[in-house]
Amino acid sequence: MDDPICPLCQRPIPPEAKQSQHHLIPKLRGGKGGETVLLHQICHNEIHATLTETELARSYHTIDALRSHPRLEKFIAWVGKRPPAFHSKTPGARRKR
């Protein structure tokens, strides 16, 4: 069986990789029970370090929109050079919800 692919960075998510479900529309902004996607934990952390819950709900509620954000584009290029199970702390504080 093939490993799932992270829709943000397009790398495989091996079983030993830290991973989590991301609500495309934040639960706090009406997305409870809505569509989720499986991401590397580092990718999920970067999304929430970059965008507020309101920004996610209004403008970045699709993978294509997330991939087009300038900071996330740079992150995707950077993390794409790392092994699939790579994880590190996300620098900086998380955005406010």
Side-chain angles (χ1 to χ4, degrees), residues 3-56:
D3 293 334
I5 301 296
C6 177
L8 190 72
C9 71
Q10 301 291 301
R11 296 177 304 141
I13 306 173
E16 69 275 12
K18 292 184 179 185
Q19 53 192 278
S20 64
Q21 292 288 330
H22 171 67
H23 285 81
L24 290 174
I25 297 176
K27 291 188 287 185
L28 296 174
R29 298 289 182 258
K32 189 174 182 179
E35 185 179 358
T36 63
V37 292
L38 181 66
L39 301 173
H40 289 103
Q41 186 65 52
I42 192 172
C43 295
H44 196 189
N45 292 351
E46 188 65 23
I47 289 170
H48 287 284
T50 301
L51 298 161
T52 65
E53 302 286 315
T54 300
E55 290 169 327
L56 286 167

Side-chain angles (χ1 to χ4, degrees), residues 33-93:
E35 185 179 358
T36 63
V37 292
L38 181 66
L39 301 173
H40 289 103
Q41 186 65 52
I42 192 172
C43 295
H44 196 189
N45 292 351
E46 188 65 23
I47 289 170
H48 287 284
T50 301
L51 298 161
T52 65
E53 302 286 315
T54 300
E55 290 169 327
L56 286 167
R58 286 185 185 160
S59 304
Y60 294 97
H61 52 270
T62 67
I63 292 298
D64 288 340
L66 289 168
R67 289 178 55 84
S68 72
H69 186 280
R71 178 173 160 169
L72 293 176
E73 283 180 337
K74 289 178 185 175
F75 167 79
I76 292 164
W78 174 81
V79 83
K81 298 173 188 164
R82 288 3 182 225
F86 174 80
H87 184 79
S88 72
K89 290 190 174 187
T90 303

